[in-house]
Amino acid sequence: MLTADQLIDLEDLIVAELERIREESSSNEEERKAIAPDVAIGRLSRLDAMQMQEVAKEAERRREERVSQLELALEQLDSGTYGRCELCGDDIGYERLEVTPEATRCSLCAS
Ligand SMILES: [Zn+2]
């Protein structure tokens, strides 16, 4: 079982991580915008620019996935179901949650 202090620590961790991801996402927004056909791209060829856009979009997709996992973790914290393995029902260790606060499986079931 996680102690109340550990739960507070983990909630702080999750909130900070969400904040970080959202900042990263907004600073990355320019790269994801569509490239207008008549825009002068400078040294980069149009193909390079399109590839970079794809990479930026993929990174954004992964960020969105992580955000929804972290938000789910916050909901579980509220409802008191946080930190339990979805497969075996055992407690997920604090050390594991500290590294991966959105983990929904214990290290045994995850491996
Ligand atoms: Zn498990």
Side-chain angles (χ1 to χ4, degrees):
M1 260 313 255
L2 295 163
T3 67
D5 279 350
Q6 286 174 331
L7 285 170
I8 292 168
D9 280 354
L10 289 166
E11 182 166 9
D12 283 350
L13 253 173
I14 294 170
V15 170
E17 184 67 3
L18 277 169
E19 187 83 356
R20 195 190 61 76
I21 295 172
R22 288 191 174 122
E23 257 168 47
E24 209 176 87
S25 172
S26 56
S27 69
N28 179 264
E29 206 175 340
E30 283 302 312
E31 287 172 44
R32 296 195 306 276
K33 282 190 181 142
I35 306 156
D38 56 343
V39 165
I41 292 173
R43 280 193 303 125
L44 286 173
S45 74
R46 192 170 161 70
L47 202 66
D48 282 342
M50 280 164 69
Q51 263 169 9
M52 278 175 61
Q53 190 189 22
E54 278 313 305
V55 170
K57 276 185 182 166
E58 174 62 19
E60 179 66 8
R61 203 190 54 74
R62 267 190 247 119
R63 271 195 293 270
E64 277 166 7
E65 203 176 283
R66 185 106 201 278
V67 164
S68 49
Q69 288 169 340
L70 288 164
E71 278 172 347
L72 183 72
L74 281 182
E75 280 170 30
Q76 291 173 333
L77 270 165
D78 277 344
S79 60
T81 56
Y82 180 73
R84 201 159 303 147
C85 174
E86 64 182 359
L87 287 185
C88 70
D90 268 0
D91 289 334
I92 304 172
Y94 178 65
E95 290 74 22
R96 175 164 163 78
L97 290 168
E98 242 186 332
V99 181
T100 322
E102 73 274 31
T104 55
R105 292 178 183 182
C106 70
S107 41
L108 275 179
C109 292
S111 63

